[in-house]
Amino acid sequence: MSLKLGLVGLGKIARDQHLPAIAATPGLKLAAIASRHATLPDLPGFNDIDSLLAGADLDAITLCTPPQGRFDQAVSALKAGRHLMLEKPPGMTVTEVEALAALARQKGVTLFTTWHSREAAAVEPARTWLSGRRIDSVRVIWKEDVRHWHPGQAWIWEPGGLGVFDPGINALSIVTHILPDAVFVTGASLEFPANRAAPIAASVQMRMNAAPIEAEFDWRQTGPQTWDIEVQTDAGLLRLSKGGSEMWLDDQPQLVEEDSEYRSLYRRFVDLVAGGRSEVDLAPLRLVADAFLLARRIEVDAFEDDA
Ligand code: NAP
């Protein structure tokens, strides 16, 4: 029998990734949506999550709304006894997500805090290749054009929107998955546009045991976009590029694959529900929180969407 799913927030990621991935997932059926503006043909639509929960017969909910305001929506879904899948980041703060995990346990439902970049094709092979090897250093270069990827998204520049850490947390989700030991932030500098509450660029220093980890995040990159992670080891240089879809060893391609991140996420959600389990990993959000805690703040030129 199919899991009846309700989707909340019909923005960029819901349309680009969630709708096609849901349609391609066995054991899952989109049964209704909640949107402030949009409707979908032949599907019941509601204005908000509370009317969705009251009016539709659902087993599970996916929240594709911005992190600000997501906590109350998540509490409504869990209190109503629905399994819940959260877009990344799973909340505005670590404490919010810990409270959701406790509520899910209490209600006996599944909570899945997704990290879509961990599902990129080369991430698991990289983790396997790295296990047992000596890791000497790690470099993260995550540079993209905010005007292209986040056009007009006001929430992303507000407190809780994370700014450049909205994509940067994807890199951190990979780093914390492929490295065998705990990663700590040791320093950071964050560049805030004069007119914005969230950073447009960040450099973050971390370490795993004695190995230094340097990360550069920048939203001002035009032209070629870079989503690379390089790990120097005793057996050579491993590079994950294109957000984790390609793996190279000493500049030789090992694996180059098309994106299927969201299909993997939904298959796992169905499995988690069937097995009565949750998956909640806060490590990437914690690193971002620590970077904000330790950061030097630098003011840079104001940012306008249409400049
Ligand atoms: P978006 O295009 O701004 O869409 C968010 C949607 O949430 C809106 O269209 C709106 O849908 C709903 N919403 C409810 N309250 C809102 C509010 N106060 N302000 C703005 N929208 C509100 O954002 P998105 O890019 O889809 O991102 C949503 C989440 O997915 C974020 O956590 C983001 O980090 C994550 N994500 C995004 C991408 C990407 O490439 N864009 C990739 C991976 C993950 P209705 O009008 O239907 O209510």
Side-chain angles (χ1 to χ4, degrees):
M1 212 180 67
S2 278
L3 210 57
K4 295 187 288 294
L5 182 74
L7 184 145
V8 183
L10 215 63
K12 181 165 171 29
I13 200 61
R15 290 178 187 276
D16 289 356
Q17 297 288 349
H18 287 259
L19 294 179
I22 292 164
T25 305
L28 194 61
K29 184 181 178 336
L30 185 62
I33 63 160
S35 167
R36 301 169 310 168
H37 309 104
T39 54
L40 287 177
D42 304 324
L43 208 62
F46 299 84
N47 290 331
D48 56 39
I49 185 154
D50 292 317
S51 47
L52 172 76
L53 290 166
D57 174 22
L58 300 173
D59 305 303
I61 299 283
T62 298
L63 296 183
C64 298
T65 46
Q68 302 100 328
R70 182 116 45 75
F71 178 73
D72 288 341
Q73 296 169 334
V75 167
S76 294
L78 293 172
K79 280 193 170 161
R82 305 308 199 280
H83 306 292
L84 180 62
M85 172 163 153
L86 298 175
E87 250 302 352
K88 48 69 42 172
M92 285 196 300
T93 67
V94 169
T95 315
E96 272 186 1
V97 189
E98 286 171 343
L100 295 179
L103 182 57
R105 275 195 301 277
Q106 186 196 330
K107 301 298 285 185
V109 295
T110 293
L111 176 64
F112 183 22
T113 60
T114 63
W115 298 107
H116 65 87
S117 291
R118 286 183 177 171
E119 307 301 323
V123 169
E124 215 51 52
R127 176 184 160 105
T128 304
W129 190 86
L130 287 170
S131 73
R133 294 202 155 86
R134 192 190 69 225
I135 289 160
D136 295 327
S137 63
V138 181
R139 199 166 154 241
V140 176
I141 311 112
W142 222 253
K143 298 187 175 182
E144 62 176 50
D145 181 354
V146 65
R147 290 191 176 91
H148 177 81
W149 297 104
H150 301 283
Q153 291 183 347
W155 60 266
I156 218 160
W157 293 105
E158 292 300 316
L162 296 191
V164 76
F165 285 107
D166 176 81
I169 202 168
N170 298 332
L172 297 174
S173 76
I174 296 176
V175 167
T176 49
H177 189 66
I178 62 175
L179 296 185
D181 292 320
V183 173
F184 299 87
V185 176
T186 56
S189 60
L190 309 188
E191 296 181 38
F192 286 77
N195 59 341
R196 302 286 179 167
I200 194 165
S203 80
V204 182
Q205 295 76 51
M206 296 166 276
R207 68 184 174 89
M208 184 202 73
N209 302 324
I213 304 170
E214 287 283 336
E216 293 295 328
F217 305 110
D218 205 321
W219 250 350
R220 298 165 295 197
Q221 173 108 334
T222 53
Q225 309 282 285
T226 311
W227 299 285
D228 283 359
I229 296 171
E230 295 174 349
V231 186
Q232 189 68 56
T233 76
D234 56 346
L237 178 71
L238 177 142
R239 182 174 347 110
L240 281 175
S241 61
K242 300 199 175 152
S245 58
E246 296 185 3
M247 174 169 143
W248 299 63
L249 289 177
D250 289 330
D251 291 327
Q252 297 300 311
Q254 308 294 309
L255 189 147
V256 173
E257 240 178 62
E258 285 301 301
D259 158 46
S260 59
E261 295 174 13
Y262 279 80
R263 289 176 189 212
S264 298
L265 287 180
Y266 274 104
R267 277 199 302 273
R268 200 135 89 261
F269 188 41
V270 170
D271 285 350
L272 287 170
V273 171
R277 287 173 291 125
S278 285
E279 188 177 302
V280 178
D281 181 5
L282 282 163
L285 186 62
R286 217 175 257 130
L287 289 180
V288 173
D290 289 352
F292 274 92
L293 271 176
L294 292 182
R296 283 180 194 286
R297 184 192 164 109
I298 300 162
E299 189 170 296
V300 297
D301 290 346
F303 174 86
E304 302 299 345
D305 268 312
D306 50 6

